[in-house]
């Protein structure tokens, strides 16, 4: 028999089961000397429960039950699943909205020709360092609030001293500056795909800073990703830019991935040295951004960018709003990163961010008119295929680790 949610079928089968149970009970009464048939009774009871589950007419909305009532009943029957689904939706939407907007605003600020000023006759935004400064300024405020809410004090519970975050704050500042500066010379899709090749410097920094050894398979993956990035980069070369200009952009991108690789490895070193229980992500965010805001402020003062940027923002107030939006989305993105990794782990986070990279490439190509050739698509396919293979490998490695109990 197959479940057809027919009420008459349920009544008939229930009646049969009830009669069988009565017969079993009667046999126990009439033949008291015989062994009790408790096992048979349990089988009947289990079958009766199963029948009710399979043929219950309440499994789908009845004619008198509205769709909304049915949905609310399903949600109330599976609260934990829907709570996790809701959290995942928040993480996915938060990360996508934050970083897609952030990437779009980055390219808009650095590539748009605004009203020229006396010090900036080209009309292009004059200071990548100021973009980094605005992002770090708001990040410090957000980090202070987060640490105060979680620990009840801003600095009282900090085990790691502020100077411990300075090396990675410097590298983080330089990587962000290089990222902004590169957009003057290469397109955003090239920048996004190029970022995926940072696996090689990450492995090099891990070997240098912590003596980490990596299996041969990871080196092969790194070579495949680098090959895909190279295909995408050279296939996306614009005929409007000379070779020297694009080489400058690639040099900035090399600086970005090198500094960014150092940042992640140094942060992991801080966690290891002072204990992950003593340094949480919000304290890390606070320490790095406090040092970074000091570094960027000093840089803007030394280079004399502050008055030039102030003049440019007075002539182009829209750029100031763009910087505010960039700072907000950067801070919200960092919070979403911490929450996503905490709730769902690094693998789910990597999948979401890889999806974001592909979407940002599409948005940039459509909005800013970047042509993407068939060869470039092939290079991108190689890169993202290897990334998803890495995600799959890490997922099964985590499963195997759980099974062995290590």
């Amino acid at each position: 028999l197959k479940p057809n949610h027919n009420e008459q079928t349920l009544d008939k089968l229930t009646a049969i089961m009830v009669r069988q149970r009565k017969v079993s009970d009667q046999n126990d009464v009439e033949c008291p000397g015989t062994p009790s048939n408790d096992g048979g009774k349990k089988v009947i009871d289990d079958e009766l429960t199963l029948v009710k589950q399979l043929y219950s007419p309440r499994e789908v909305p009845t004619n008198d039950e509205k769709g909304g009532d049915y949905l609310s009943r399903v949600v109330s029957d599976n609260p934990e699943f829907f709570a996790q689904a809701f959290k995942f939706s928040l993480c996915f939407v938060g990360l996508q909205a934050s970083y897609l907007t952030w990437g779009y605003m980055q390219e808009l600020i650095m590539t748009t020709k605004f009203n020229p000023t006396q010090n900036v006759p080209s009309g292009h935004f004059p200071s990548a360092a100021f973009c980094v400064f605005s992002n770090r300024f708001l990040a410090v405020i957000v980090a202070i609030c987060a640490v105060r809410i979680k620990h009840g004090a801003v600095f009282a519970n900090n085990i790691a001293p502020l100077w411990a975050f300075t090396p990675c704050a410097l590298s983080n500042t330089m990587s962000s500056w290089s990222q902004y500066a590169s957009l003057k010379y290469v397109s955003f899709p090239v920048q996004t795909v190029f970022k995926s090749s940072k696996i090689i410097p990450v492995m090099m920094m891990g070997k240098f800073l912590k003596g980490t050894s990596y299996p041969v398979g990871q080196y092969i993956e790194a070579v495949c990703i680098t090959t895909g990035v190279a295909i995408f980069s050279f296939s996306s070369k614009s005929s409007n830019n000379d070779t020297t200009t694009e080489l400058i952009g690639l040099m900035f991108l090399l600086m970005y991935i090198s500094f960014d690789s150092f940042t992640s490895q140094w942060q992991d070193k801080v966690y290891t040295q002072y204990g992950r229980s003593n340094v949480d992500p919000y304290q890390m965010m606070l320490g790095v951004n406090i040092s970074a805001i000091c570094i960027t402020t000093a840089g803007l003062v030394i280079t004399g960018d502050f008055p030039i940027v102030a003049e440019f923002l007075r002539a182009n107030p829209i750029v100031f709003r763009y910087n505010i939006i960039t700072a907000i989305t950067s801070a919200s993105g960092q919070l979403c990163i911490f929450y996503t990794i905490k709730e769902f782990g690094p693998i789910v986070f990597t999948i979401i961010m890889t999806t974001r990279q592909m979407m940002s490439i599409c948005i940039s190509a459509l909005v800013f008119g970047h042509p993407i050739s068939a060869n470039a698509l092939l290079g991108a396919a190689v890169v993202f295929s290897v990334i998803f293979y890495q995600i799959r490998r890490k997922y099964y490695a985590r499963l195997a680790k759980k099974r062995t109990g290590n």
Side-chain angles (χ1 to χ4, degrees):
L1 292 175
K2 294 182 180 180
N4 57 9
H5 302 292
N6 184 285
E7 192 167 358
Q8 292 181 350
T9 303
L10 175 62
D11 292 340
K12 290 178 180 178
L13 289 172
T14 301
I16 293 172
M17 295 293 181
V18 169
R19 283 200 300 271
Q20 289 178 339
R21 178 59 190 263
K22 287 181 177 178
V23 169
S24 180
D25 291 342
Q26 187 176 0
N27 288 338
D28 285 347
V29 173
E30 293 178 352
C31 306
T34 60
S36 176
N37 192 23
D38 290 337
K41 293 177 186 179
K42 186 178 184 305
V43 171
I44 295 172
D45 291 340
D46 292 343
E47 289 177 349
L48 181 58
T49 302
L50 181 61
V51 166
K52 288 182 178 180
Q53 290 175 348
L54 291 175
Y55 292 91
S56 173
R58 294 176 297 174
E59 290 297 321
V60 296
T62 61
N63 294 332
D64 297 330
E65 187 177 30
K66 297 180 180 179
D69 296 335
Y70 172 70
L71 181 61
S72 62
R73 182 169 56 79
V74 171
V75 172
S76 62
D77 289 343
N78 303 276
E80 186 175 346
F81 170 79
F82 282 96
Q84 286 295 98
F86 179 71
K87 288 180 181 179
F88 177 80
S89 300
L90 285 180
C91 293
F92 183 87
V93 173
L95 286 168
Q96 300 294 345
S98 295
Y99 283 107
L100 288 176
T101 305
W102 181 64
Y104 170 76
M105 298 309 299
Q106 269 188 318
E107 188 166 12
L108 188 65
I109 291 170
M110 300 307 296
T111 61
T112 303
K113 188 172 183 179
F114 300 100
N115 296 325
T117 63
Q118 182 178 354
N119 289 306
V120 190
S122 66
H124 290 289
F125 190 72
S127 177
F130 182 82
C131 295
V132 181
F133 168 81
S134 60
N135 289 351
R136 299 299 175 267
F137 182 80
L138 184 60
V140 167
I141 297 174
V142 172
I144 288 174
C145 295
V147 172
R148 181 64 184 270
I149 291 171
K150 185 170 183 181
H151 298 283
V154 179
F155 297 109
N157 297 318
N158 286 10
I159 302 298
L162 283 177
W163 59 262
F165 303 101
T166 302
C168 59
L170 177 61
S171 61
N172 179 257
T173 301
M174 292 302 299
S175 67
S176 297
W177 177 81
S178 303
Q179 182 180 6
Y180 277 103
S182 68
L183 289 174
K184 294 181 179 180
Y185 306 97
V186 296
S187 67
F188 185 80
V190 170
Q191 183 197 78
T192 302
V193 175
F194 199 93
K195 289 178 185 178
S196 303
S197 64
K198 69 179 181 181
I199 182 175
I200 292 180
V202 165
M203 294 168 71
M204 292 173 61
M205 291 295 177
K207 185 76 173 177
F208 174 74
L209 291 176
K210 301 184 298 182
T212 307
S213 59
Y214 300 93
V216 177
Q218 290 193 26
Y219 287 103
I220 295 175
E221 292 169 4
V223 170
C224 291
I225 288 178
T226 305
T227 303
V229 168
I231 294 172
F232 186 91
S233 300
F234 287 110
S235 300
S236 301
K237 186 179 183 299
S238 173
S239 58
N240 298 328
N241 293 339
D242 58 36
T243 303
T244 303
T245 299
E246 297 213 351
L247 283 176
I248 293 173
L250 292 177
M251 288 299 296
F252 276 121
L253 289 177
L254 284 172
M255 289 173 60
Y256 162 76
I257 62 174
S258 299
F259 282 119
D260 193 58
S261 302
F262 178 87
T263 300
S264 59
Q265 293 291 344
W266 187 270
Q267 287 177 328
D268 190 64
K269 185 177 180 179
V270 171
Y271 282 128
T272 303
Q273 182 175 351
Y274 295 97
R276 293 184 182 273
S277 58
N278 298 321
V279 182
D280 65 23
Y282 302 110
Q283 291 171 323
M284 176 67 73
M285 181 180 177
L286 177 63
V288 170
N289 284 293
I290 285 179
S291 296
I293 199 71
C294 295
I295 293 169
T296 52
T297 302
L300 289 169
V301 171
I302 293 171
T303 58
D305 277 0
F306 263 131
I308 297 174
V309 172
E311 177 194 43
F312 191 85
L313 293 178
R314 283 195 297 269
N316 301 276
I318 187 67
V319 183
F320 183 68
R321 291 198 287 271
Y322 289 165
N323 272 277
I324 292 176
I325 295 172
T326 306
I328 292 173
T329 52
S330 176
S332 64
Q334 289 186 57
L335 293 176
C336 289
I337 287 175
F338 296 147
Y339 185 77
T340 303
I341 293 176
K342 175 186 174 184
E343 290 291 329
F344 301 101
I347 293 177
V348 171
F349 166 73
T350 305
I351 293 173
I352 295 175
M353 293 303 284
T354 304
T355 306
R356 190 272 303 178
Q357 287 181 316
M358 293 188 288
M359 292 174 66
S360 63
I361 290 173
C362 296
I363 291 173
S364 178
L366 291 173
V367 175
F368 295 96
H370 301 303
I372 299 179
S373 65
N375 288 337
L377 288 175
L378 175 63
V382 171
V383 171
F384 290 114
S385 296
V386 176
I387 290 174
F388 279 113
Y389 171 78
Q390 289 177 327
I391 294 170
R392 179 180 179 274
R393 173 175 57 77
K394 292 176 182 177
Y395 171 73
Y396 283 110
R398 286 170 67 92
L399 284 183
K401 192 174 181 180
K402 286 182 179 179
R403 290 194 189 100
T404 57
N406 295 328

